[in-house]
Amino acid sequence: MSRSVRPSWRRIWLRLHLWLGLTIGLVAALLGLTGAALVLKEPWLRLELGAMADPAAMPLAPDLQVKAAEAIATAPRRLVSVAAPGSGPMPVAAVLALLTEPADNGGPRFVVGTIDPASGAVLGIRPFDDLAFARLLDLHRALLGGGTGAGLVAAVGMVLCLSLVSGAYLWWPGRVGDRRRLGFWRRRLLPSFRGAWHRQARVMHATAGIWLLLPLAVLAVTGTLLARPDLIGGGRRAPLPVAALPAPGGSCEAVPDAAAAVRLGLQAADSGRFLGVMMAGPGWVVTTTAGTVMVDAGCGSVRGMPGGPDLHAVMNGVHGRLMLGWPGQAVVFLAGLALPGFYVTGLVTWLRRRRR
């Protein structure tokens, strides 16, 4: 009885895998290519923003780095955030400053500047939307379609997960005896690519799919969550008062700028390494490796923010590097290039079968 049921199930999974590939394959291929290109973001940014800083040079103190960023925030520009080298949304070897300025349509537009952390010299300033990197990032995250495009990317991520499951089912040997045969798994994982070109395409499709199954699944899940951050919680809790650092004698002392806020934040964080500072209402949020604090601009008091990991930052790290540094980036790059390869080899296999 099991012999009569198994083929029908395999046909169902085969049709499911086929139609999932035909439905989302082209969009998934586009997301894979753009994702692979984004892995190479440092050369992109070096080309568009100017020469990057020497990561081996002795850096200035964090508040002096922020002071150099504030120097380019002349009217009508307004400083929004400053990220330490290697810790911003575009992790490069320079200090990354994000500013706003009036656009031609009357609304604000974002400007990104890079600063040498060792000298404080400005390396480059460009409107963010004018960067080819920014357009590529928008294409990858939302298909240039805003919220609707981001929803489509999330849907493609979920369908890709199902496609990976169906592909793994089809690759898995159906007969128990095959799994026990000597050398069977070696031939499954390292098959021969001899034969006609269309057979080689089919074997490459299956073999690359099983080798990249886990990283592709991780990228599909994290990509879905990044496209729909509401799925991992986007609400902010109120800051928790954990420290107060007013001026001596108990009187309040205004914090004039972000550099002063960074000094207070680092004092409260004690041994934490500076990661970034961001304007938030009447003060600044200072982030260090020891935690995040809110510095009030009017009185200089420091309040600790709720602890726990930043899930959005964790998802970004997993999606871009698998949390494995440059080896993880290499795997992400290969997985991104594999998606258009799967689309082409799957299409070739399907068209060959239709001709029979």
Side-chain angles (χ1 to χ4, degrees), residues 64-148:
L64 295 180
Q65 295 180 17
V66 174
K67 199 75 175 176
E70 288 182 311
I72 63 176
T74 55
R77 288 179 183 158
R78 181 170 176 265
L79 186 67
V80 176
S81 67
V82 181
S87 62
M90 298 182 289
V92 293
V95 177
L96 196 68
L98 185 65
L99 310 98
T100 58
E101 66 179 14
D104 294 337
N105 59 7
R109 69 172 177 176
F110 287 102
V111 176
V112 61
T114 49
I115 298 164
D116 190 320
S119 66
V122 177
L123 299 174
I125 303 176
R126 287 282 300 277
F128 182 72
D129 290 338
D130 289 354
L131 298 176
F133 173 84
R135 292 191 287 272
L136 182 69
L137 185 64
D138 190 26
L139 178 62
H140 182 70
R141 288 183 172 177
L143 300 173
L144 305 177
T148 302

Side-chain angles (χ1 to χ4, degrees), residues 6 10 169 171-188:
R6 185 176 290 116
R10 292 189 73 84
Y169 177 88
W171 177 87
W172 188 260
R175 291 178 293 184
V176 177
D178 290 341
R179 303 176 213 160
R180 297 174 180 173
R181 198 177 306 161
L182 184 64
F184 174 78
W185 289 108
R186 182 187 63 80
R187 291 191 297 274
R188 292 290 285 180

